[in-house]
Amino acid sequence: MNATAHPAPTSLETAAAKNLASTLKTPPQMQGISPRWLLRALPWVRVSAGTYRVNRRLTHTLGDGRVEFVSTGSRVRVIPAELTELPALGGFDDPVALEALADACVQRAYGPGDVIAAAGEPVTEVVLIAHGKVGRSVPGRYGGEAVLAVLADGDHAGDEALAGPPGAWPHTLRATTRCTVLALPLAAVRAVARDAPGLRAHLDAVAARPAPRRNKRGEADIALASGHTGEPVLPGTFVDYEPEPREYELSVAQTVLRVHTRVADLYSEPMNQVEEQLRLTVEALRERQEHELINNPEFGLLHNADLRQRIRTRTGPPTPDDLDDLVSRRRKTRYLLAHPRAVAAIGRACNAHGVHPGHTEVDGVRLTAWRGIPVLPCDKIPVAADGTTSVLAMRTGQDDQGVVGLHQTGIPEEYEPSLNVRFMGIDEQAVISYLVSVYFSAAVLVPDALGVLEDVEI
């Protein structure tokens, strides 16, 4: 069978024409770029000497941290050294006595609604919450109970009785979820103290220590007089400062960008290959910068929020009541910061309560708002394996004693503020190297500038 003859083309074919046609190109794209709202929201303070010192009034705080536990199967045990987070045991360093106190703890389980301690009953033990949520409430004026706070993993109650008269429970502790609690009986503490004279002496010293005069924020009091008539003797006073103020040193994120000279020489039209490589590298560094500002254990916001500014959700989802509690703990809350999935959870919780969260505009972008406060999405806030996360609330700026970002401008070979690119040379493989560095940190000027709503179920 003879093949069918094709007619000769009378015009240029498309396959040949594409060889001469220029292709419309985009610059290299990158999925890892996020809005980076935190970097845009923080006021940036120039740190000329690489260190930023935060001077504060003297604050009297002692052992206001949380206790940590270890678990083996269903058995839970408090870490002995963590007992020094209790105010009465702060500074006590006898490992044998602490081990004995840890061994004396009794593990108990409670279901939702069970009473752990009832208001008015004598305090006979210290309650350490290993897992679950516990509501702390008092009888309401018009019936029912008024919930004062929600306690959860690591919190404790009744520890005042360690170094003082036992007294009675001023509030009721009621489990709101399934809870695992370790109870440290006061009788066991006295028994350990009989065998450990150092513990008895420590508790006696704490009990005899005069209570420092301080305001509701824990700061050393400033003596004042008001409402008087005539010529009374006015109190003398002074404002005491912290003797060892905290200093923040600038952190750094760095990488070495490598580009072969052949690529830079031959393939830089129409787009400069070195510039495109550098642009994407800077984007990645800025993403890491925001991640560190949230999660770094030294200066990250999640780790530097004061424990008294951390609250728990009542039931799990971020309800309007939870958001109001978070916002009301500081003046002039400027921003809420939440994982995008938490922002969606806020919307669902508001819908379930028949509440409209509202919207506002920031830098031309329409965002969810609560009480007029923008809720900035930030995917750097971690989401735990159990589907919980945190929501941050912050006041910003030096003038308002808020949260500030720290950087240093004017550094050598600066490419962007506080980011420089330094030529490192060409090696024997004809590869050009550039050192790309960004310097930054963050500071919380006073504790109530930053708050965290924890255990947010999304």
Side-chain angles (χ1 to χ4, degrees), residues 2-258:
N2 296 329
T4 303
H6 293 283
T10 58
S11 64
L12 182 66
E13 293 185 348
T14 57
K18 284 193 297 185
N19 292 330
L20 277 69
S22 62
T23 302
L24 182 62
K25 308 176 189 65
T26 69
Q29 306 298 298
M30 179 176 175
Q31 295 187 69
I33 299 176
S34 68
R36 299 197 290 267
W37 280 107
L38 178 60
L39 300 188
R40 297 156 65 177
L42 284 180
W44 290 91
V45 177
R46 184 177 184 273
V47 181
S48 58
T51 302
Y52 185 76
R53 179 181 297 160
V54 178
N55 291 307
R56 292 178 179 171
R57 281 177 59 184
L58 179 64
T59 303
H60 297 290
T61 57
L62 179 63
D64 57 354
R66 290 177 179 167
V67 180
E68 294 184 11
F69 306 83
V70 293
S71 58
T72 305
S74 60
R75 183 174 179 269
V76 178
R77 187 174 189 270
V78 63
I79 299 174
E82 288 292 311
L83 289 172
T84 58
E85 294 295 335
L86 301 178
L89 295 176
F92 182 64
D93 59 358
D94 184 349
V96 176
L98 292 174
E99 188 81 23
L101 292 176
D103 291 337
C105 291
V106 180
Q107 181 175 338
R108 296 177 187 155
Y110 295 91
D114 291 348
V115 175
I116 300 172
E121 292 185 354
V123 178
T124 60
E125 60 191 20
V126 179
V127 174
L128 309 175
I129 302 170
H131 180 69
K133 291 187 178 181
V134 176
R136 188 174 66 191
S137 61
V138 295
R141 176 176 293 185
Y142 304 105
E145 289 185 343
V147 178
L148 302 179
V150 177
L151 308 180
D153 306 11
D155 289 328
H156 43 80
D159 47 273
E160 299 87 354
L162 287 173
W169 286 102
H171 43 250
T172 296
L173 298 179
R174 188 186 305 275
T176 58
T177 65
R178 296 182 62 84
C179 294
T180 300
V181 170
L182 294 185
L184 176 59
L186 297 181
V189 176
R190 290 191 290 269
V192 173
R194 285 195 294 270
D195 298 329
L199 175 60
R200 181 70 271 162
H202 177 85
L203 295 178
D204 290 342
V206 172
R209 186 185 301 155
R213 298 188 60 183
R214 55 188 177 186
N215 60 21
K216 63 181 181 179
R217 302 291 186 183
E219 297 172 327
D221 199 20
I222 298 177
L224 304 171
S226 62
H228 52 273
T229 59
E231 299 178 351
V233 177
L234 298 179
T237 190
F238 67 96
V239 181
D240 205 355
Y241 300 140
E242 286 188 353
E244 298 180 359
R246 179 171 179 179
E247 293 184 347
Y248 294 84
E249 294 185 357
L250 293 185
S251 181
V252 62
Q254 293 178 305
T255 189
V256 176
L257 174 62
R258 293 184 172 91

Side-chain angles (χ1 to χ4, degrees), residues 219-344:
E219 297 172 327
D221 199 20
I222 298 177
L224 304 171
S226 62
H228 52 273
T229 59
E231 299 178 351
V233 177
L234 298 179
T237 190
F238 67 96
V239 181
D240 205 355
Y241 300 140
E242 286 188 353
E244 298 180 359
R246 179 171 179 179
E247 293 184 347
Y248 294 84
E249 294 185 357
L250 293 185
S251 181
V252 62
Q254 293 178 305
T255 189
V256 176
L257 174 62
R258 293 184 172 91
V259 183
H260 200 285
T261 53
R262 185 189 308 118
V263 173
D265 293 342
L266 303 181
Y267 299 95
S268 288
E269 290 293 339
M271 298 178 190
N272 188 300
Q273 289 282 4
V274 176
E275 286 295 328
E276 292 302 323
Q277 289 279 306
L278 182 58
R279 177 178 66 85
L280 297 180
T281 301
V282 169
E283 292 283 0
L285 279 174
R286 292 300 189 190
E287 293 290 329
R288 176 61 64 86
Q289 177 183 359
E290 186 174 64
H291 178 274
E292 292 293 306
L293 289 173
I294 293 288
N295 298 288
N296 188 283
E298 294 297 325
F299 58 85
L301 300 185
L302 279 178
H303 295 274
N304 281 270
D306 190 89
L307 288 168
R308 291 165 296 180
Q309 295 295 325
R310 297 175 183 267
I311 62 174
R312 314 276 188 166
T313 56
R314 286 170 166 80
T315 58
T319 65
D321 292 337
D322 296 325
L323 296 176
D324 281 343
D325 285 347
L326 179 63
V327 169
S328 65
R329 287 178 168 259
R330 72 200 44 77
R331 56 184 172 85
K332 298 177 68 173
T333 300
R334 186 71 182 274
Y335 299 108
L336 297 176
L337 206 66
H339 192 279
R341 293 173 63 188
V343 177

